[in-house]
Amino acid sequence: MGFLQGKRALITGIASQRSIASGIAEAMHREGAELAFTYQNEKLKSRVEKAAAECGSDIVLPLDVTDDAQIDACMEQLGKRWDGFDILVHAIAFAPREAISGQFLDGLTRENFAIAHDISAYSLAALAKAARPLMAGRNGSILTLTYLGAERALEGYNLMGVAKASLESTVRYLACNLGPEGTRVNAISAGPIKTLAAAGIAGFRKILGHVEENAPMRRTVTIEDVGNVATFLSSDLASGVTGEITYVDAGYNIIG
Ligand code: 0WD
């Protein structure tokens, strides 16, 4: 029996089979969780439906996190299928391309700053708030994805690094707020993985090579590596863990 048997999980952020959220969904399905999925736009709908079907799910809901009405509708629709749920996976981030290349100030505008923070950080808090009535009192888990660029000034990560710092702080405040009702909130800081979002980051191939040569494990991580840790953190095995940033990066963050 899998260690997520009896748990229900809502998975956001699938854009392709290579998405980190796809690796998480696969691992959670393997461990016995019942899954529901969201898709950002019509272009992604059929892809997400396919991913859902592979996990035995027919719950596939639209969700663009920039739209308050869609956030509310998503939880309302989910509430019609499930009287409550246990796991929320937030695997969503976006910054305009010019804000994640070149020098930090090159792509800095008020609008780019707002977009990056809105989609990459505010959305976690907004989803946690909207999901609260369905998740309270169930030993639930909210999990998001962050990157080392939140705490180090990494070349080219720029505005996304600032948004990830906001996201990590949001994890801690949410953990304090929701802890009394049994909901844990954590983040995985994943090493670089070639996904659609990563393709937008200037010099990404160079970053992968650098990690392969220098990480303690001399390799990059996979969406399976991240999926397995996500599954653990969302399970009752991690019942004492909240407000934490867990690195799944082949040890890269510990080197100088
Ligand atoms: O190296 C990497 N790939 C790392 C990714 C290292 C460490 C962390 N992460 C994070 C990302 O920052 C993100 O938070 O993992 C999370 C998942 O990213 P991913 O799996 O790398 O990327 P991808 O497969 O592109 O999925 C992210 C998706 C979007 O994809 P695109 O490429 O179409 O922007 O986030 C979704 C969208 O489907 N997304 C949204 N969902 C709802 N509403 C929105 C939105 N407004 N914007 C983006």
Side-chain angles (χ1 to χ4, degrees), residues 5 14 52 77 86 99 109 115 118 121 124 139 183 185 217 247:
Q5 203 73 43
I14 290 188
Q77 290 303 313
D86 311 284
T109 63
I115 292 170
D118 184 17
L124 174 69
N139 296 324
T183 304
V185 187
M217 298 183 74
Y247 296 89

Side-chain angles (χ1 to χ4, degrees), residues 13 15 19-20 40 63-65 91-93 145-146 164 190 192-193 195 197:
S19 293
I20 293 176
Q40 184 196 347
L63 177 63
D64 180 330
V65 293
I92 292 169
L145 275 305
T146 185
K164 289 296 193 192
I193 300 174
T195 62

Side-chain angles (χ1 to χ4, degrees), residues 184-239:
R184 299 177 298 103
V185 187
N186 291 290
I188 287 177
S189 184
I193 300 174
K194 199 161 178 291
T195 62
L196 291 176
I201 296 164
F204 190 75
R205 206 180 304 159
K206 207 173 95 189
I207 297 170
L208 284 177
H210 182 75
V211 168
E212 256 164 26
E213 279 168 29
N214 295 285
M217 298 183 74
R218 299 290 187 271
R219 69 171 181 89
T220 53
V221 294
T222 64
I223 62 172
E224 289 76 24
D225 290 322
V226 177
N228 285 331
V229 176
T231 300
F232 158 70
L233 283 172
S234 302
S235 77
D236 293 337
L237 294 174
S239 55

